[in-house]
Amino acid sequence: MQTLTVGLGDRSYPIHIGKGLLAHAELIQMHVPRGRVAIVTNTTVAPLYLEKLKRALQNVAISSVNVILPDGEEYKNSETLNLIYDALLKNRCERTTPLIALGGGVIGDMTGYAAATYLRGVPFIQIPTTLLAQVDSSVGGKTGINHPLGKNMIGAFYQPRVVLADTDTLDTLPDNELAAGIAEVIKYGLIRDLPFLEWLEKNMNKLLSRDTEALQYAIARSCQNKAEVVAADERESGERALLNLGHTFGHAIESGMGYGNWLHGEGVAAGTIMASDLSQRMGWISAQDVNRIRMLFERAKLPVVAPDLGPDKYLELMGLDKKVEGGKMRFVLLKKIGHAVVQADVPMELLKKTLQVCCAVTVPGLQSTQRPTLGGG
Ligand code: NAD
Ligand code: GLY
């Protein structure tokens, strides 16, 4: 087991990464003062891992209330959030009852928000079971739900007490979900860790074939990057915004296509190609750089061509981005590979060109994984 720390003073917490950690409830025991927790999970993860977690908790004399939600990004909303509050109230969960998120980023974000708001705040524990959640969403305390008008628009910063990433849970993850997690892994290399990007270029096949050592390395290195950024800028007044490379475009894709039709990581992949194209148009990176980035996403079997929502729809959706300041869109762009910046003044003609070129257009000589269909969900 490897343990990293997110350094936030008296709210610092450990991230434990390793095989078989689900059975080690002693790692969370100290955060359960009254021997009772509420586990929030979903209909896919519950049959796979709920019993195992419950048994481990019972072994250290912890009982649980179990909340099993419908599965899917399309359920990351206020109605589903209410189901969590209903169960907590019906079962008389108290301020001393921690909420455990057992699942991917959707469960983690929703459970975290429920923990931030139920009884004005109860302890929160993350047990991420997707690669995306293990490398990104379970760390850093961003919690929330979607609004029909925009992705993750309602939420709170609320840090977990501990993160337990059991890499064995990745064995049951579908291939496309593994790839979606790799999109966020590539992000760290692009924004601040060139040696890691080079490692990914050498080891992508190992990650795709779920080589245990390679996965553990990628998870730990990603969490290390994220922990450093979060410790420096917990509430995203500066550097943390860089973690949103590709997300301004990606969130527009996700909500424009209907939540659940494009995976978050898929939107981030196609969105990162758009951000890279825009960075090239700004004169910062070369066409070869953009190609290098595209090839890495393609090797991870991620989409590199965005759906054609039309420039106006993109502009409308991106206008709702959380980074908008004084009505102005801000983009995370690449000054060079391994170094991202936040840029407010992006000429509209360059942005429109990116929207035209990157959407549903096959890149000559490269295999496209585009999905041209619109209007789902
Ligand atoms: P997800 O939570 O929808 O999980 C993907 C799918 O895998 C779901 O069907 C889930 O039930 C299933 N699943 C989970 N664990 C499994 C396992 N071990 N075996 C088999 N199936 C399993 O999606 P995700 O990619 O984990 O997370 C995406 C969400 O995370 C988005 O809502 C995004 O906005 C959010 N996010 C949040 C942050 C943050 O900092 N809070 C960062 C990145 C993404
Ligand atoms: N995934 C972006 C962040 O945590 O800030």
Side-chain angles (χ1 to χ4, degrees):
M1 178 178 90
Q2 242 178 305
T3 300
L4 308 171
T5 303
V6 183
L8 290 168
D10 60 4
R11 289 175 301 116
S12 295
Y13 56 92
I15 308 166
H16 303 297
I17 303 160
K19 284 176 72 61
L21 296 191
L22 215 50
H24 289 274
E26 71 278 4
L27 292 168
I28 55 182
Q29 195 176 10
M30 74 183 81
H31 304 290
V32 189
R34 299 230 172 260
R36 192 171 187 239
V37 295
I39 302 172
V40 182
T41 186
N42 70 23
T43 48
T44 304
V45 178
L48 295 168
Y49 301 113
L50 181 57
E51 274 313 309
K52 196 168 185 185
L53 177 61
K54 273 167 58 183
R55 263 200 315 277
L57 290 167
Q58 277 158 13
N59 288 341
V60 292
I62 296 172
S63 66
S64 65
V65 168
N66 308 306
V67 188
I68 301 176
L69 301 175
D71 181 14
E73 182 74 36
E74 62 275 34
Y75 295 105
K76 187 179 173 184
N77 55 29
S78 52
E79 286 79 29
T80 314
L81 181 70
N82 257 325
L83 298 177
I84 306 180
Y85 298 135
D86 290 349
L88 299 177
L89 286 164
K90 275 187 197 140
N91 288 283
R92 298 180 185 265
C93 292
E94 302 174 353
R95 281 211 169 122
T96 51
T97 313
L99 300 199
I100 297 183
L102 174 69
V106 169
I107 285 294
D109 282 13
M110 270 198 299
T111 308
Y113 189 51
T117 47
Y118 180 67
L119 304 182
R120 300 201 178 89
V122 299
F124 170 42
I125 293 166
Q126 284 271 21
I127 305 190
T129 62
T130 62
L131 180 62
L132 186 139
Q134 294 186 354
V135 299
D136 192 352
S137 63
S138 65
V139 174
K142 277 191 183 175
T143 72
I145 55 171
N146 298 328
H147 185 278
L149 291 180
K151 170 95 182 138
N152 293 338
M153 280 294 155
I154 316 295
F157 287 98
Y158 195 68
Q159 300 293 341
R161 299 286 171 97
V162 53
V163 180
L164 210 67
D166 181 343
T167 52
D168 283 349
T169 60
L170 303 180
D171 292 348
T172 53
L173 201 61
D175 286 342
N176 63 333
E177 297 290 355
L178 186 83
I182 292 175
E184 299 281 16
V185 173
I186 294 173
K187 170 186 81 178
Y188 295 111
L190 288 174
I191 62 171
R192 72 193 301 275
D193 192 349
L194 182 57
F196 185 35
L197 191 85
E198 288 163 355
W199 182 91
L200 288 168
E201 288 174 327
K202 288 200 189 85
N203 292 281
M204 184 54 73
N205 291 347
K206 285 190 182 170
L207 289 182
L208 292 172
S209 64
R210 302 177 194 230
D211 176 277
T212 307
E213 239 174 77
L215 275 173
Q216 286 222 16
Y217 178 80
I219 294 166
R221 182 108 180 203
S222 300
C223 286
Q224 186 60 46
N225 271 294
K226 181 139 189 192
E228 283 169 13
V229 173
V230 169
D233 178 25
E234 183 185 5
R235 290 187 163 249
E236 201 167 303
S237 47
E239 187 185 356
R240 185 163 181 171
L242 302 180
L243 294 173
N244 289 320
L245 176 69
H247 286 56
T248 303
F249 296 106
H251 285 168
I253 294 172
E254 273 188 89
S255 68
M257 290 299 283
Y259 296 124
N261 286 312
W262 271 56
L263 301 183
H264 176 71
E266 293 175 339
V268 168
T272 300
I273 302 302
M274 295 166 96
S276 304
D277 179 90
L278 191 51
S279 306
Q280 185 198 341
R281 288 178 200 285
M282 294 290 286
W284 294 342
I285 63 173
S286 65
Q288 286 87 333
D289 288 333
V290 178
N291 224 14
R292 179 179 172 187
I293 296 167
R294 185 184 289 119
M295 275 164 57
L296 189 56
F297 281 107
E298 286 202 325
R299 282 185 58 207
K301 304 195 173 21
L302 284 157
V304 294
V305 181
D308 189 5
L309 303 172
D312 290 346
K313 186 69 181 168
Y314 269 105
L315 291 174
E316 179 197 322
L317 291 166
M318 292 193 305
L320 282 168
D321 188 72
K322 287 185 288 306
K323 286 185 295 305
V324 169
E325 237 177 49
K328 268 193 168 176
M329 277 188 266
R330 297 186 309 142
F331 290 88
V332 182
L333 299 178
L334 295 171
K335 276 274 175 180
K336 56 183 185 179
I337 292 187
H339 178 54
V341 292
V342 177
Q343 181 69 19
D345 294 311
V346 172
M348 185 51 84
E349 67 273 16
L350 299 189
L351 177 57
K352 284 195 166 162
K353 195 75 192 157
T354 288
L355 291 173
Q356 279 165 16
V357 168
C358 292
C359 296
V361 175
T362 312
V363 181
L366 291 166
Q367 237 193 358
S368 156
T369 44
Q370 79 186 82
R371 295 189 190 181
T373 47
L374 281 184

